[in-house]
Amino acid sequence: MHGSYEQFISGISPFLGGYYLSLGLMNAVAALIMWQRFKDNTWAMVWLLAAGIYVGILAPFALQGLPFGLPQWFRTFVNDSTGPVIYSVGTLLVLGVFYVFRGFFVRPMVAFSLLNLTALLMGLSMTDRYFAMIVSKADNVPIVGLVFLLGFFTWLAAYKAVRNDARFAEGLPPEEKLDNEKVLVWPDLVYSELICMIALTAFLLLWGILLQAPLEEPASAVKTPNPSKAPWYFLGLQEMLVYFDPWMAGVVLPSLIVVGLMAIPYLDFNKLGNGYYTIKQREFSYLTFQFGFLVLWITLIILGTFLRGPNWNFYGPYEYWDTHKVEALNNVDLADIVWRDMLDRPKPKAPVGAGAFEQLGYILVRELPGILLTIGYFALLPPLFATTVFRRYFVKMGFLRFMTMMMLFLFMALLPLKMLLRWTVNLKYIIAIPEYFLNL
């Protein structure tokens, strides 16, 4: 084991050396920009010092086969304290903090500091072979890059929106109105697209040379990969299959996503925010889209890519993917909780020889708690919201548009609620009618 770890370190050291040199160059460029363009000597010295640490300390040690890494106690703590509930609730809380204090986090120096800390944590984590084994997989490398790109463009949009909101508070027009000069397609746009096309082609060629294609052996019906994962853009759907039946996770919810996107122009009554970045003028829309995209899609992709291992078990970032790890979960239906645990009696069951209608009656009685809960969720919450939290939207949208919006909103909230119930009380189905293939 000791020898294999030394071989791993010798193999990863050249990459880490180049990685730290790249970070040093990035900070040196940032220091030059702060010094020459913004005349900010303080931050220029900060980034110059960061560049010196990357180039003068971290990179040389890595190239000599002595890279710095995270202590074992820290990795053990992260593995032991990481779970599906902490991951999901934690990411939601982090995004909430970013939103509430967005005026602070969108500052370029704060954002660049977070980028440096994230990149440094990434480099220190690469000395853990289990972390590196997952992150450096050929088909996972693009996802790592996409995560950083997503963070950058999310910050960029929020940065422009916060600046515009500050201008609106002063009675000024958005920044987009200050530079609305038309640009000719030829030559300006065509030249820009040509340069981008050439650069991207060169990048893909270099990528294809340095990174081997993630090809596996021919498919076999008697031997399937463990874990068997869908393409990264379908990992959100695969994660949803853990909590819902295939008809719900693979048909109903994706269809509602498509229908909801098509319905947005007809439901939206707010004409502000068209053609410029803003958050305050479109707060509900902004929060809904960020929750649906970042929380219900991106976090599920990251979860399925880096934290779901053999047998679809949850693994910590620095945990070995042991195929023999078995998590015995006794998932129960809501009917079991109500009849067996709360009422201390067996679930209603039709007698032998009962007719179809009599069996249906017993099934409805058995699943009555889940049916009532589902009806209450979809029937009582919309009028409650219409008279309280979303009263302004109800008045402006009208009954039909508001009810359509609320149905889409409640279906969207159904996924995190079901995930939380599964992870906390091992709830499998709210309504379980396997006799008619109807489970919710």
Side-chain angles (χ1 to χ4, degrees):
M1 182 67 70
H2 181 70
S4 61
Y5 182 73
E6 290 181 346
Q7 294 176 1
F8 161 74
I9 289 296
S10 63
I12 201 71
S13 292
F15 165 78
L16 284 177
Y19 177 77
Y20 288 133
L21 289 175
S22 300
L23 294 181
L25 178 61
M26 177 185 73
N27 281 272
V29 172
L32 183 62
I33 293 175
M34 294 302 299
W35 177 52
Q36 287 194 342
R37 182 175 179 182
F38 298 101
K39 309 301 180 182
D40 192 334
N41 295 331
T42 302
W43 280 109
M45 290 301 298
V46 170
W47 303 136
L48 191 61
L49 177 62
I53 294 174
Y54 283 125
V55 176
I57 300 177
L58 296 176
F61 273 89
L63 291 174
Q64 292 177 12
L66 301 171
F68 290 94
L70 297 172
Q72 182 61 45
W73 65 265
F74 177 82
R75 289 177 284 171
T76 303
F77 172 77
V78 171
N79 289 336
D80 294 340
S81 60
T82 302
V85 178
I86 296 178
Y87 171 80
S88 299
V89 177
T91 52
L92 182 60
L93 291 177
V94 168
L95 292 174
V97 170
F98 282 167
Y99 171 76
V100 174
F101 301 101
R102 59 186 180 275
F104 171 75
F105 286 108
V106 298
R107 297 177 183 177
M109 294 302 97
V110 175
F112 195 72
S113 300
L114 291 177
L115 174 61
N116 264 295
L117 291 176
T118 305
L120 177 60
L121 179 62
M122 181 82 173
L124 296 177
S125 299
M126 288 298 291
T127 59
D128 184 275
R129 62 180 134 185
Y130 305 133
F131 180 89
M133 186 185 306
I134 304 304
V135 173
S136 61
K137 286 184 62 177
D139 46 356
N140 289 348
V141 171
I143 304 177
V144 176
L146 287 176
V147 170
F148 280 94
L149 287 176
L150 178 66
F152 169 75
F153 285 109
T154 302
W155 166 80
L156 181 62
Y159 172 73
K160 292 185 176 182
V162 169
R163 287 173 63 92
N164 279 341
D165 290 338
R167 293 177 62 86
F168 294 144
E170 299 175 1
L172 301 174
E175 290 185 341
E176 286 79 0
K177 293 291 185 180
L178 303 179
D179 187 19
N180 58 355
E181 183 180 356
K182 294 183 178 179
V183 178
L184 297 176
V185 175
W186 176 268
D188 301 282
L189 179 61
V190 175
Y191 277 1
S192 300
E193 291 180 343
L194 178 63
I195 294 173
C196 291
M197 182 184 69
I198 295 174
L200 184 60
T201 302
F203 172 75
L204 291 177
L205 285 174
L206 185 63
W207 184 303
I209 294 173
L210 298 179
L211 197 66
Q212 296 296 321
L215 300 178
E216 299 181 3
E217 62 273 8
S220 173
V222 298
K223 182 181 179 182
T224 57
N226 187 14
S228 183
K229 294 186 178 182
W232 66 269
Y233 43 84
F234 282 145
L235 282 177
L237 293 178
Q238 188 171 0
E239 183 68 23
M240 289 162 57
L241 286 169
V242 178
Y243 315 101
F244 294 98
D245 262 14
W247 68 272
M248 174 63 76
V251 179
V252 176
L253 292 179
S255 300
L256 287 175
I257 292 174
V258 175
V259 172
L261 292 174
M262 295 169 58
I264 286 174
Y266 304 97
L267 298 176
D268 191 9
F269 63 88
N270 189 350
K271 303 303 179 184
L272 298 175
N274 291 327
Y276 56 89
Y277 291 92
T278 180
I279 292 179
K280 285 188 176 180
Q281 294 183 357
R282 304 298 298 269
E283 231 169 348
F284 177 74
S285 300
Y286 179 83
L287 289 175
T288 302
F289 273 97
Q290 293 292 63
F291 179 78
F293 180 63
L294 294 179
V295 177
L296 299 185
W297 197 247
I298 298 301
T299 58
L300 292 184
I301 290 176
I302 297 175
L303 172 64
T305 302
F306 303 110
L307 303 178
R308 287 294 191 184
N311 306 316
W312 209 247
N313 287 327
F314 188 94
Y315 292 81
Y318 309 104
E319 185 178 356
Y320 171 61
W321 282 16
D322 187 3
T323 57
H324 300 94
K325 178 181 178 180
V326 178
E327 295 183 2
L329 296 178
N330 186 23
N331 295 324
V332 294
D333 301 324
L334 181 61
D336 294 319
I337 297 176
V338 173
W339 292 103
R340 183 188 63 193
D341 300 336
M342 299 177 63
L343 300 179
D344 195 19
R345 57 185 299 179
K347 292 188 297 184
K349 184 178 180 181
V352 179
F357 286 101
E358 187 177 1
Q359 290 182 357
L360 180 60
Y362 275 92
I363 291 174
L364 293 178
V365 172
R366 182 191 72 198
E367 302 301 327
L368 186 61
I371 294 174
L372 293 178
L373 182 62
T374 304
I375 293 176
Y377 179 78
F378 286 104
L380 299 181
L381 287 183
L384 178 63
F385 284 134
T387 55
T388 55
V389 182
F390 297 140
R391 178 177 176 81
R392 180 171 66 91
Y393 293 91
F394 177 72
V395 172
K396 292 187 176 182
M397 297 178 69
F399 178 79
L400 183 59
R401 288 201 297 176
F402 179 81
M403 290 301 294
T404 304
M405 182 200 74
M406 283 307 304
M407 287 297 106
L408 294 172
F409 180 80
L410 291 177
F411 268 104
M412 182 178 68
L414 191 61
L415 175 60
L417 289 175
K418 188 73 181 295
M419 294 168 64
L420 187 61
L421 290 172
R422 173 67 66 85
W423 293 334
T424 53
V425 297
N426 291 337
L427 181 67
K428 185 177 183 181
Y429 293 125
I430 299 173
I431 300 175
I433 309 180
E435 297 87 348
Y436 295 95
F437 304 101
L438 178 60
N439 301 306
L440 177 62

